[in-house]
Structures are given as C-alpha cells and as structure tokens.
Amino acid sequence: MMDDRMDRISAYLDGAMSAAEAAAFEAEAAENPSLAAEIEAAGALDAEVGAAFDSLLDAPLPPALLATISATTTPGTRLEEARPTVAAATPGGEGAAPAPDVAEAEPGVPGQAALGGGASSVGGIPAGGNPPREEMPPPAYAAANENRQPFFSSSIAAALALLLVGAGAGALMTRALVPGTELADGHATRGWMDEIADYHRVYARQVAHLVEVPASEKDHIETWLGKETGVPFSVPDLAASGFTFQGARLLVAGGKPVAQLLYTDADGQVMALCMLGREGPGSEEFTPRSFDGVEMVRWLAPGAAWVAVGEPGMDLEAVAREAAQEV
Amino acid sequence: MQPDATDFQAELLASLPRLRRFALSLTRHPSEGDDLVQMTCERAITNAAKWNPEQPLLPWLYTMARNLWTSEMRKRQVRTGEGTVPAEEAAELVSHAGGEEATRAGQVMAQIMALPEGLSSVLLLVSVEGHSYAEAAAILDIPPGTVMSRMSAARVRLRAALAGEAA
C-alpha cells in the first residue's frame, strides 16, 4: 500500500522538504507530466479534505456537551470571574454577518490572526448585555441544562449556546483565534499564503506557460477575475519598479478563488500579485513574510487581501506600495 | 479579579468547534468524539492553572484529548479486546450548508472517517491545520516518520475511495 511517489508528493505538499529537495522535486515534475498531474490532483484532494473538515466547524454543539462544560466549571471561583466575559461575548445582531471570511482570508498571518488572548478575541464580537435567559437556549437544551445545574449556569450556557450555535459565531470566533496561531517553535499554521507560496514555486518556473490569460487581454482579466473573486480591481502598472505584466491565472487558496497577476523583471524573474476577497476595511500595513524561499509582502485593501510574491532579493515592499496605489 | 480565568474561559469556548473536530478525527465516531471533548474540557478546567496564557490553548487541548483517547483505547482493549468502530454517519455532521456542496463535503467526510485508525487525525493536523510533521508527531505522540507515512497512506486511500465514488 505504501506508495513511494505519494510519500514524496506528501512531503512536498506538507512542507517537509528542504528548499533544495523541493526545487529538485519541482524540476523532476517539470519533466514528468504524470508526476505533475499527480501533484496537482493531490493538492485538489487536500482542498476537498479541508472543505469537508471545515464544514464541521459550523455544526451546532450538542446541548449535553455544553451542559457538562458549564456544570464542571466551579461556581464561585473561576466561573464567577468568567461570567462577565462570557456574557459580553454574546453576539449581537451582527453575529450572522457573512462571517467566516474575515478570518478565513487571513490564516497563517502572524500578528493578524494570532490574537493576544481570549479577551481580545471575544472583543471581536459585539458586546451585548447579559442575555435574558428565556430567550437564549433552544428549549431542549434549556431543559437538559436545568436538570444539571440549577445555578446561573443557564445564563452561561445560554451565552454559550448563542456563541456556539447562533449563526455560527462560535466557529467564527474560533477561526479568528486559531488560524495562524504561532506554535511553540514559531511555526505558523498553514494558510492561504502557504498555498500561494506553493503555487509560486510551481508557476514561477513555467516560463513557456506562465499565464492562463495573457497581458494583451488585460480588460478581460479585470472583468473575469474581478467577477470570480468578487473584488473589482485594475491590473497595476508596475513598470516604475521594473516589472512587466505578463498575464493572469485564477487559483484557489484557502478554499477561495484567488486572482494571480504575474509579472517578470528584466532578468525574467517572476513576481506575482495575488488577491482574494475578504470582509473588512483596508490597512496601511505592509507585512513581509518568508515561505521557504518564497518571499511575500501582504497588505489589506477594503474587501480584499493582497500579497506581492517573489524571490529573495526583490524589493517586494516597494512593489506592494506601488501596487496598492494602483489596484 | 482573575483575568487569567476569564481568558481561559473565553479561549476554551472559542476552541470548542476545533477541539470537537479533532476529537472526531481521533474517535471517528460522532458521539464518542463528543464524549472525548467533554472529558477533555473537564480536565482542562481542572488544570486551567497549568495553562500558560502565552501559549496557544489548542495544542494543549489536543494533546490532552489524545492522551485521554489513548488511555481509553487501552482500557477497551484490555476489557473487550476491541477497538473503536469506524463511523459511517459522519455525513450527518455536515448539515449547515444546503445543496451540492454539503453533499460533497459529507461524502468526503464519510471517506475520511472510514480511513484506518490514526490516519484522519494526521490528515486534519497536517493538511487542514497546517502543522508540521514534527508538531503533529508531538501532539499525537508518534514518530515524525509515522506522520509522514500516514499522510501518504491517507492520500492514497482517499484518492482511491473518492475516485471509486465518482465513477
């Protein structure tokens, strides 16, 4: 059953190869269409696995679980202290906002998603008063809960129920909190930017087939990718930074459509601007990040996250600043 | 005031959907997964003082859940000589979205749950949550080489299973 080829594809997709190994593997794939196809299929399979697992996050939590959690919290000590936060975390009307996008657009971005702690993550949900308990829990749950814990745990549980069941806000909070969390050794969890880096490693070497739609069809690219990503934009002219627009591709990363605009410099080195739609305002910050030989600078525009992707040594921040003016 | 307690409570709440997903990947059975989440939360609350707020909560919870599940499996093997039962009903969990997408996610999820023991959790940690092999190995308490071979085996099996379904 062990499949040596899949071992290598897995190591490649999972970031377990060194940069040199990955480059050698890519070179091999460039010569071997069946291997390249298999890598692509494995990547597509991963996307399906991700979508399937992610769909679980929105499932309502079972009442029995919530009841146990509130019942096992010691009244009078931690719980007393905890209650105001939980109540404050009750989503108001906008809990049902087109929610997951904000967080989903940003996994893997340090400083953005790795929130300081529970309090700040809760702060992302609009505050409301302590909810009147009779409005909150689904009836079946309220009954189950009252059998277990006659104290104030129903209001905790009500807040919980709202948080976790109501409008998927629990999933939203979790996503806001978890993706991109830096683990103990500093490795950030894998997100859409990692996927973009993977694409870059592959496409930057496709000299003869760099783009899906060539630069000559710039207007079409803007219409097409603007529609697919849901974000209207103009292809930036980066001649001042020494980059020539070559054309575009549509990618999928983080389960969302991503516009990839490809440029080359005078030496033929490839730089890409990638964009995906998100909820939320823009920001003035240009954040550099390295992905094993692929460099990125990311910024946020209203309704979109952008990254400039290139090789070490490129002044991507200058490119990003220039592009941010033009898109 | 104990700000750390409120932080802990809030983080635990926020972690529940992911913890539940991880527990399901370990048990491959929805109700057992929920039992495991329950036990994990109980233990986490009891040990809240040991949590370092500087560290992300989830890996701590994951490790705790895995520990609990490992000892549960050991007990069962001693008692009955049996392990767990692979779940076929995972598709039911995928209920939030309508139409074709939900069906597809449900199909894929059912195949993931039907993978041999130990593959789904590796798949979740590495492919979906982006942990390195070393991190997944630490959470699951298995050698990194095993993480790698399980990832490969999971992809090969899923590819075959889903290809069979589409045909």
Side-chain angles (χ1 to χ4, degrees):
Chain A
M1 190 71 217
M2 265 317 95
D3 181 328
D4 177 53
R5 198 179 214 192
M6 189 57 97
D7 281 356
R8 296 171 68 218
I9 292 172
S10 288
Y12 176 71
L13 291 177
D14 300 336
M17 283 185 174
S18 69
E21 286 168 341
F25 189 61
E26 280 158 13
E28 189 183 333
E31 308 258 297
N32 181 343
S34 91
L35 176 60
E38 229 179 298
I39 296 171
E40 195 172 317
L45 179 66
D46 276 20
E48 287 217 288
V49 168
F53 267 121
D54 282 348
S55 66
L56 297 182
L57 295 177
D58 295 332
L61 289 169
L65 172 61
L66 296 174
T68 301
I69 290 169
S70 53
T72 50
T73 311
T74 316
T77 56
R78 296 188 169 279
L79 191 54
E80 285 291 349
E81 293 298 328
R83 186 154 57 142
T85 301
V86 174
T90 303
E94 76 181 80
D101 294 4
V102 180
E104 268 179 355
E106 303 306 323
V109 183
Q112 164 88 16
L115 300 176
S120 59
S121 71
V122 168
I125 309 267
N130 204 357
R133 54 184 270 187
E134 48 284 351
E135 283 180 16
M136 294 304 145
Y141 166 57
N145 183 62
E146 272 161 15
N147 290 340
R148 298 209 185 204
Q149 233 322 350
F151 301 151
F152 50 77
S153 60
S154 331
S155 69
I156 298 274
L160 267 169
L162 247 200
L163 247 179
L164 299 166
V165 180
L172 164 63
M173 237 174 90
T174 307
R175 288 176 193 189
L177 185 70
V178 174
T181 299
E182 294 278 340
L183 298 175
D185 66 358
H187 176 94
T189 55
R190 198 173 161 84
W192 70 278
M193 289 171 72
D194 297 84
E195 294 179 37
I196 299 281
D198 290 341
Y199 278 120
H200 196 80
R201 289 187 194 104
V202 175
Y203 284 132
R205 288 168 181 80
Q206 304 295 311
V207 180
H209 310 283
L210 184 63
V211 300
E212 201 173 342
V213 179
S216 55
E217 296 180 44
K218 179 168 160 292
D219 291 347
H220 170 66
I221 287 171
E222 289 170 351
T223 317
W224 163 53
L225 292 178
K227 179 163 161 281
E228 290 300 324
T229 59
V231 182
F233 68 97
S234 321
V235 172
D237 178 354
L238 300 176
S241 297
F243 288 98
T244 310
F245 182 53
Q246 299 295 346
R249 284 180 180 275
L250 175 65
L251 311 177
V252 177
K256 301 181 72 171
V258 172
Q260 186 191 36
L261 309 176
L262 291 138
Y263 296 76
T264 50
D265 67 9
D267 300 328
Q269 286 206 319
V270 175
M271 189 281 298
L273 294 177
C274 295
M275 177 273 284
L276 88 174
R278 58 182 272 280
E279 299 294 322
S283 101
E284 297 296 303
E285 278 180 48
F286 290 83
T287 316
R289 254 194 101 183
S290 296
F291 293 82
D292 235 353
V294 176
E295 300 298 313
M296 294 193 201
V297 172
R298 167 183 155 279
W299 76 97
L300 299 176
W306 285 84
V307 279
V309 189
E311 312 284 326
M314 288 180 176
D315 188 356
L316 290 173
E317 183 170 339
V319 170
R321 287 182 184 279
E322 188 181 349
Q325 297 301 314
E326 302 214 14
V327 296
Chain B
M1 287 300 289
Q2 295 177 22
D4 54 324
T6 57
D7 281 2
F8 182 80
Q9 186 87 7
E11 290 236 14
L12 184 59
L13 291 181
S15 301
L16 284 179
R18 266 177 202 259
L19 178 60
R20 189 177 182 219
R21 181 171 79 167
F22 177 65
L24 178 65
S25 81
L26 287 176
T27 63
R28 294 170 299 141
H29 191 287
S31 65
E32 293 203 306
D34 284 346
D35 288 348
L36 179 58
V37 174
Q38 217 158 315
M39 287 195 291
T40 307
C41 288
E42 284 168 19
R43 180 169 288 195
I45 290 165
T46 311
N47 291 298
K50 294 182 191 159
W51 174 58
N52 172 4
E54 304 289 306
Q55 297 297 322
L57 183 62
L58 259 188
W60 191 68
L61 293 173
Y62 281 4
T63 306
M64 210 176 272
R66 191 267 308 151
N67 259 321
L68 286 164
W69 181 243
T70 307
S71 48
E72 175 64 21
M73 291 304 285
R74 262 189 219 123
K75 276 186 224 157
R76 282 187 204 187
Q77 277 157 5
V78 170
R79 260 200 322 258
T80 66
E82 285 176 10
T84 186
V85 190
E88 304 296 339
E89 63 261 49
E92 288 170 17
L93 292 170
V94 183
S95 56
H96 71 291
E100 223 169 279
E101 269 180 39
T103 316
R104 180 62 182 170
Q107 280 173 353
V108 175
M109 207 58 229
Q111 294 296 349
I112 293 169
M113 292 293 105
L115 289 171
E117 187 179 350
L119 299 192
S120 332
S121 48
V122 170
L123 195 61
L124 170 65
L125 289 176
V126 174
S127 169
V128 183
E129 300 201 338
H131 294 271
S132 68
Y133 287 176
E135 288 161 0
I139 288 171
L140 298 170
D141 195 27
I142 54 178
T146 305
V147 173
M148 183 184 216
S149 59
R150 287 186 185 178
M151 275 309 292
S152 175
R155 286 190 172 112
V156 168
R157 282 174 181 267
L158 271 185
R159 183 177 62 185
L162 291 169
E165 223 164 62

